[in-house]
Amino acid sequence: MKEGLPFDHRPDPRLGAALRRALDAGDDAAFVARVLAGAAAVRPGSWDTVLARWARLGLAAAMLVALAAGYAIGRAGLPASAARPSVAETLLTRRAPPPEADVVLASVVGN
Amino acid sequence: MADPRSPQLPPRPARIPPQDEAELAARALAGDRAAFGRLVERYAATARRVARAVLGDPDDADDAAQDGMLSALAKLDQYDPRRPFGPWLLRIVANAATDRRRRRAVRRTEALDPALTAGGTRPDVSAERRALAERLRQALAELPERRRLAVVLFDVEGYSHAEIGAILGIPEGTVRSEVFHARRRLRALLADWKEDDG
């Protein structure tokens, strides 16, 4: 095949014909019949199509609103005293109660 | 009617004038199945070729082309009748093919028969053309998807760079570049096949 000019604005008929032969699947009539059979179940621009499009937008908006509301409620409803103590505070202030005497005894006897 | 670009190209279905396509689309939107049928007939071969350029496998391509056409029918209310119908439809078909390719594992293109790549003996024209077609499909498969689509839409389907830009969602200059690089690659791969191929 001859090399065309770079950025040639005209289609290359020889390459085009070869590609067309390579890509053609044949029997377009059967394909058309198949598409039209499938089209029976599709309503063009129907309310459910439109609704589905708006539903996606609505769902995204609702999620944003829910996130914002959850964050606001979480911030507002949390009293300052209810803030979770840090690990250091927990270790310093909370001590486990000492074991009962019988537990200590059982441990010693068992060993 | 023979394609005016070249007597070598097979005959195409008669083009429907753009205003008629807009009218058909409006009728299809109103529920006229015959109008939709005319649009499908007009673009069936093109849509199948575009999908096959993306997917390679003819069955997958037909499934994607059908998905695209039915999706276009469902979205007909979004079609702007002031614009040409073909690029709008083909954009949906190309997207359907791309989505399908992403969803499934890409099937590996079968390796070419060494006799074909070596330019071995060719018993008749039919076998020779089949071999050339196989080699072209292999060559296409090696190109990036956008480049593949650009050259098919330009050299096979006859769309302008601007229209292809609209279909692929890329600037016109990028389309020119993609067509150029695709042609250079395809021609290089085909150069040793047969100089006088028609």
Side-chain angles (χ1 to χ4, degrees):
Chain A
M1 292 199 177
K2 292 174 186 173
E3 183 72 30
L5 293 171
F7 301 106
D8 192 347
H9 66 282
R10 293 164 301 180
D12 178 339
R14 185 169 283 182
L15 179 61
L19 282 172
R20 178 184 289 255
R21 276 197 297 272
L23 295 173
D24 262 340
D27 201 2
D28 284 339
F31 175 77
V32 170
R34 182 179 143 182
V35 172
L36 293 181
V42 178
R43 280 181 292 171
S46 56
W47 63 268
D48 46 350
T49 308
V50 175
L51 199 62
R53 196 163 65 243
W54 281 103
R56 283 192 291 274
L57 287 173
L59 196 62
M63 283 176 67
L64 279 176
V65 169
L67 280 173
Y71 180 75
I73 290 170
R75 293 275 295 176
L78 201 65
S81 59
R84 296 183 68 182
S86 67
V87 173
E89 286 171 335
T90 306
L91 291 174
L92 289 172
T93 57
R94 299 174 80 186
R95 291 193 181 87
E100 298 294 330
D102 55 344
V103 173
V104 175
L105 189 62
S107 171
V108 170
V109 169
N111 290 326
Chain B
M1 191 178 91
D3 191 293
R5 288 187 301 148
S6 167
Q8 298 164 339
L9 292 178
R12 290 183 182 183
R15 279 191 184 272
I16 303 170
Q19 65 274 20
D20 290 357
E21 288 188 345
E23 170 66 22
L24 285 172
R27 282 167 46 196
L29 179 59
D32 183 341
R33 296 291 160 176
F36 179 65
R38 282 204 65 198
L39 290 169
V40 172
E41 283 172 8
R42 163 68 187 88
Y43 286 102
T46 300
R48 296 173 84 192
R49 283 192 291 265
V50 164
R52 194 170 184 189
V54 173
L55 289 158
D57 180 78
D59 294 330
D60 272 355
D62 277 1
D63 288 345
Q66 180 180 16
D67 287 350
M69 287 189 151
L70 295 181
S71 176
L73 175 62
K75 296 174 180 172
L76 262 179
D77 58 323
Q78 297 173 37
Y79 165 61
D80 180 354
R82 293 167 300 181
R83 294 177 173 274
F85 183 78
W88 181 80
L89 173 68
L90 292 179
R91 180 167 193 162
I92 295 172
V93 169
N95 285 340
T98 303
D99 288 347
R100 181 170 288 266
R101 183 182 55 72
R102 285 178 184 150
R103 281 201 305 269
R104 66 144 165 80
V106 179
R107 293 181 188 168
R108 294 181 65 84
T109 310
E110 289 180 8
L112 282 176
D113 184 338
L116 302 181
T117 51
T121 55
R122 299 184 286 273
D124 54 46
V125 172
S126 174
E128 187 175 297
R129 284 194 165 182
R130 279 199 301 274
L132 177 61
E134 181 58 41
R135 182 163 183 173
L136 259 175
R137 283 192 290 270
Q138 176 84 13
L140 269 179
E142 291 171 6
L143 297 175
E145 183 179 306
R146 195 170 73 178
R147 196 162 289 177
R148 229 180 298 164
L149 281 170
V151 74
V152 168
L153 288 167
F154 189 73
D155 280 322
V156 181
E157 308 304 338
Y159 283 101
S160 69
H161 292 119
E163 288 172 320
I164 296 169
I167 292 169
L168 301 181
I170 56 177
E172 194 176 326
T174 308
V175 176
R176 289 178 189 278
S177 170
E178 295 286 26
V179 170
F180 168 69
H181 288 294
R183 281 174 159 186
R184 191 171 60 175
R185 179 76 178 136
L186 292 174
R187 284 166 172 161
L189 285 164
L190 293 173
D192 61 339
W193 181 256
K194 191 182 176 190
E195 287 299 322
D196 59 345
D197 176 62

